[in-house]
Amino acid sequence: LVGDISRSIESDILLYCNEIMTALVELLQNKVLHRSVKPPVLSCFGDIAMAIGGSFEPFLKMTLYMLVSASDIQVPHDDEELIEYLQSLREGI
């Protein structure tokens, strides 16, 4: 939903970016949140960046940290469910 809104209102979302980005990072750091929610959250970073262009710079360091952390996740090779999750996570990146 956040991605759809940011694509729709484009740079007007800049007024709300601090709160939105903080909420997205908190979601990614939440260990209780079901993992199926996290790939779409990662996709929101890109949608917001595209909507606000160069104004995304204040959020860049935090976003890159989250993306690198997500891309570094390793899962056991014999756990199909976790392998599928990792694939969806990487697609979100």
Side-chain angles (χ1 to χ4, degrees):
L1 186 58
V2 172
D4 293 337
I5 292 170
S6 65
R7 286 189 302 272
S8 176
I9 65 173
E10 294 180 340
S11 63
D12 290 337
I13 200 165
L14 187 56
L15 297 170
Y16 311 101
C17 276
N18 284 330
E19 293 84 4
I20 292 170
M21 293 298 289
T22 299
L24 292 174
V25 168
E26 287 173 1
L27 286 172
L28 290 175
Q29 293 174 335
N30 185 333
K31 297 193 185 301
V32 178
L33 183 69
H34 193 273
R35 64 179 175 231
S36 67
V37 177
K38 294 183 180 187
V41 169
L42 288 172
S43 294
C44 288
F45 290 140
D47 293 333
I48 292 170
M50 294 296 293
I52 65 174
S55 298
F56 191 77
E57 187 175 352
F59 309 108
L60 193 56
K61 185 175 181 179
M62 170 184 55
T63 301
L64 288 175
Y65 175 77
M66 289 292 153
L67 294 174
V68 168
S69 296
S71 68
D72 284 344
I73 294 175
Q74 300 294 318
V75 298
H77 296 290
D78 60 346
D79 189 331
E80 291 295 323
E81 186 177 328
L82 282 178
I83 291 170
E84 185 177 322
Y85 165 68
L86 182 61
Q87 181 62 31
S88 68
L89 192 63
R90 289 183 174 156
E91 288 172 3
I93 295 172

